[in-house]
Amino acid sequence: MPAALLALAISAFGIGTTEFVIMGLLPEVAADFGVSIPSAGLLISGYALGVVVGAPVLTALASRVPRKTVLVALMGLFIAGNVLSALAPSYGLLMTGRVVAALSHGAFFGVGSVVAASLVAPAKQASAIALMFTGLTVANVLGVPAGTALGQAFGWRSTFWVVSALGVAGAAGILALVPHQEPDPGAGLRGELAVFRRPQVWLALVMTALGFAGVFASFTYIAPMMTEVAGFSGGAVTWLLVLFGAGLFAGNLLGGKAADRNLMPSLYVILAALALVLVAFVFTAHAKVPAAITIALFGAAGFATVPPLQARVMAKAEGAPALASAANIAAFNLGNAGGAWLGGQAIEAGLGYTAPSWIGAVLAAAGLAVALVSGLLDRRDPASFEAGERVLAR
């Protein structure tokens, strides 16, 4: 794989760390600013909102700018947001820093996916996308626990300084290793928006939102599920999350390789596997060893969806894929928020901590149904089918 993919992965590692590390630092942040834990938790919601807004807006604004320039500028925005977070004298400015950093998130992964795919042969493009997203999975396995430990030992601001340094390293790597690329000839705001007239692009976005809603309906409540149902201690949750992260890492790479071989059949199998794992989790959550095994399988099935889902939307937006690719990142985050809300509603209704896994299974099955409809439309349109089986020729 080209060295440029390493630069993209390092940047993805920094972005993934700053997104999730705040979860482990909420008590310290709340105590520092004299706010409640729920108020500090809004820093997570604010980041997600920044991703949803920034992904399409910044990508559209940069549609005629060379991709390497866009990536470096986005990392500059990411660094600025994290430096502001590290220096923030008030809760309001910390929230501002979080949102500024988040604005770069979706656009970076959207444009970065297009760049990653363009660096390799068509038969390896989904794997290239997966390799870039490996930075995000490693952030969950290593970056978040290390960042949390650092923040607890030396103050939460130290974590944001280190993440800022990761952003500098990522930007330097992009400058040194990523080749210059002009925008697609069909790009420009009008060309990028035109792809949203294609029904298959919208079906791909719906697949993403439903699939990841299924993941986060259950994962959001993994801690109380493991302590209240499986009987683990609170301290064991950290190691269970590492196990989940290891599953993410493996699933991401396997999903990329499977998508390179046969994109849509891979999506069918992965979404079906995700639904089945979530159904199984309802029952295995009642015993420690089966629960731990299922957590790893859950992580693998959940993140195995990412490369093929990203590849699918790029294929259906062929000719002007950057904005659609960024919109797919927004769809991931909308799925995260929607799935977490639905899972919470199930718990609030008194259905218990395993109920979110039922919700997740239904959402994943709905994503599979949309994928099957999209695949059927491919079969009826041979030209569309050929486009769906490759990512980008460039």
Side-chain angles (χ1 to χ4, degrees), residues 115-343:
V115 172
S118 71
L119 294 172
V120 297
K124 295 183 177 180
Q125 289 172 338
S127 291
I129 295 170
L131 190 56
M132 182 187 72
F133 275 94
T134 295
L136 190 61
T137 62
V138 173
N140 281 277
V141 179
L142 299 177
V144 172
T148 300
L150 179 70
Q152 290 171 344
F154 299 101
W156 62 267
R157 296 176 191 274
S158 64
T159 300
F160 286 100
W161 283 119
V162 170
V163 170
S164 299
L166 286 172
V168 172
I174 291 169
L175 278 171
L177 299 174
V178 173
H180 177 80
Q181 292 185 1
E182 292 295 336
D184 284 309
L189 183 56
R190 181 175 297 179
E192 294 283 355
L193 289 173
V195 301
F196 290 98
R197 292 199 293 265
R198 305 174 190 175
Q200 286 280 38
V201 170
W202 286 103
L203 287 174
L205 294 174
V206 172
M207 272 185 253
T208 295
L210 288 172
F212 247 61
V215 173
F216 269 77
S218 179
F219 177 63
T220 302
Y221 306 99
I222 199 80
M225 193 191 311
M226 291 299 96
T227 55
E228 300 296 326
V229 180
F232 284 102
S233 67
V237 172
T238 298
W239 296 107
L240 291 170
L241 291 177
V242 171
L243 191 61
F244 180 83
L248 294 184
F249 180 83
N252 176 57
L253 295 179
L254 291 173
K257 291 183 180 299
D260 278 334
R261 288 195 296 270
N262 216 336
L263 179 54
M264 288 307 291
S266 296
L267 262 179
Y268 303 151
V269 171
I270 292 167
L271 287 169
L274 176 60
L276 291 173
V277 167
L278 284 165
V279 170
F281 206 7
V282 175
F283 303 99
T284 60
H286 293 274
K288 289 182 179 179
V289 173
I293 294 171
T294 309
I295 282 175
L297 294 174
F298 178 28
F303 233 76
T305 63
V306 174
L309 286 170
Q310 193 72 3
R312 177 66 174 179
V313 76
M314 289 166 59
K316 291 307 175 185
E318 191 175 17
L323 183 55
S325 180
N328 204 45
I329 303 300
F332 278 117
N333 281 270
L334 285 173
N336 295 355
W341 181 79
L342 288 171

Side-chain angles (χ1 to χ4, degrees), residues 22 29 33 38-50 81 84-85 88-102 156 160:
I22 193 69
V29 171
F33 291 122
S39 294
L42 292 176
L43 294 166
I44 299 168
S45 302
Y47 189 96
L49 181 61
L84 179 57
S85 296
S90 66
Y91 173 83
L93 282 176
L94 176 56
M95 177 67 81
T96 301
R98 291 282 293 165
V99 172
V100 168
W156 62 267
F160 286 100

Side-chain angles (χ1 to χ4, degrees), residues 41-133:
L42 292 176
L43 294 166
I44 299 168
S45 302
Y47 189 96
L49 181 61
V51 174
V52 172
V53 173
V57 171
L58 292 185
T59 305
L61 291 175
S63 59
R64 291 193 179 277
V65 180
R67 292 170 183 160
K68 179 175 181 176
T69 303
V70 173
L71 290 175
V72 173
L74 289 171
M75 289 310 297
L77 189 64
F78 171 80
I79 294 164
N82 281 285
V83 169
L84 179 57
S85 296
L87 294 171
S90 66
Y91 173 83
L93 282 176
L94 176 56
M95 177 67 81
T96 301
R98 291 282 293 165
V99 172
V100 168
L103 289 173
S104 68
H105 180 127
F108 180 87
F109 281 109
V111 176
S113 294
V114 177
V115 172
S118 71
L119 294 172
V120 297
K124 295 183 177 180
Q125 289 172 338
S127 291
I129 295 170
L131 190 56
M132 182 187 72
F133 275 94

